[in-house]
Amino acid sequence: MSLAISLFITILIIYNGFQSIDPNKIKLAQTFGATKRQILAKVVLPGSVPTLIAALKVNAGLSLVGVVVGELQSANVGLGYLIQYGSQIFRLNVVMTAITILAIVSSLMYLAISWIESAVIRRR
């Protein structure tokens, strides 16, 4: 479920990033005799790094939402199940613990992506 939610959003974001590359840079590479693979590797992908990082940030949140919603629907284990079960038996501490764990996991995922972003930007 997580993959299905994230896949379409990712494709649209990355396609939009590829379309935003300056056409003059592509024409310049073609003028110098670059092949399509070289244009992709030397012009399009490096120019799309900020878009790819933004897609990663969006997908981190969407994947967690997809997993939790899937667990709310039909799971016997997991944080979504704990939220649902805790609300059914009126155990607020179980619900809040699951939500706190989700917040920590999402923060760690965001920090990891930010670290990757800063590493990639330093290399550029």
Side-chain angles (χ1 to χ4, degrees), residues 26-106:
I26 295 173
K27 286 180 185 177
L28 179 66
Q30 289 172 340
T31 302
F32 285 127
T35 64
K36 288 183 179 183
R37 181 174 286 162
Q38 289 172 331
I39 291 172
L40 179 68
K42 303 290 183 184
V43 177
V44 176
L45 287 178
S48 299
V49 167
T51 304
L52 296 172
I53 298 294
L56 274 175
K57 288 180 180 178
V58 168
N59 284 333
L62 284 178
S63 63
L64 280 176
V65 168
V67 167
V68 171
V69 168
E71 289 174 353
L72 282 169
Q73 295 292 323
S74 62
N76 293 331
V77 293
L79 295 175
Y81 172 75
L82 281 178
I83 292 170
Q84 182 182 18
Y85 179 70
S87 67
Q88 288 174 349
I89 62 169
F90 302 110
R91 301 275 312 263
L92 186 61
N93 60 344
V94 173
V95 175
M96 292 307 294
T97 302
I99 291 173
T100 303
I101 291 171
L102 277 173
I104 291 169
V105 168
S106 65

